[in-house]
Amino acid sequence: MTEDPRTTLTRLRSSIDNIDAALVYLLAERFKATKQVGHLKAEHGMPPSDPAREEQQVARLRSLAEQADLDPAFAEKWFNFVVAEVIRHHEGLRDGNGAAAV
């Protein structure tokens, strides 16, 4: 006997909701770590961005995405979006305007 489509939909949506919640908490942990990096960079006069590291991370994440059967271009777009926000916060710390609330 097969499951009713509405029951299946509810079950799948519940799984998606749980994954979304996990992603939010993982992003929060990531930003806690990058905030510490931003403070360290600001205290020691280091630049807010590190293009060489970002390039390495893009290559690493694209490879991981391929292994996970996720579109590597999407993984790169996600990473670039997150890094842009991190850099904005690092610039705020550097400039002393407290923009590093994340």
Side-chain angles (χ1 to χ4, degrees):
M1 180 172 173
T2 61
E3 189 174 52
D4 174 66
R6 283 169 275 183
T7 302
T8 303
L9 182 61
T10 298
R11 182 178 47 77
L12 290 169
R13 284 180 172 167
S14 177
S15 178
I16 290 167
D17 292 349
N18 289 336
I19 293 166
D20 287 346
L23 287 170
V24 166
Y25 279 94
L26 285 171
L27 277 171
E29 286 301 310
R30 188 187 196 289
F31 275 98
K32 287 175 189 171
T34 61
K35 186 175 183 179
Q36 292 175 0
V37 169
H39 282 291
L40 184 67
K41 286 180 172 185
E43 289 171 14
H44 296 281
M46 301 164 126
S49 68
D50 184 344
R53 164 112 170 116
E54 293 160 25
E55 187 177 315
Q56 291 170 347
Q57 285 298 94
V58 165
R60 183 176 84 73
L61 291 174
R62 286 184 69 91
S63 176
L64 287 170
E66 287 176 5
Q67 293 170 31
D69 199 25
L70 179 69
D71 180 3
F74 172 78
E76 184 174 349
K77 287 177 192 175
W78 169 82
F79 178 74
N80 289 334
F81 175 78
V82 170
V83 167
E85 188 68 8
V86 168
I87 290 170
R88 186 179 73 81
H89 293 172
H90 288 187
E91 289 169 344
L93 285 169
R94 177 199 61 200
D95 299 341
N97 68 16
V102 172

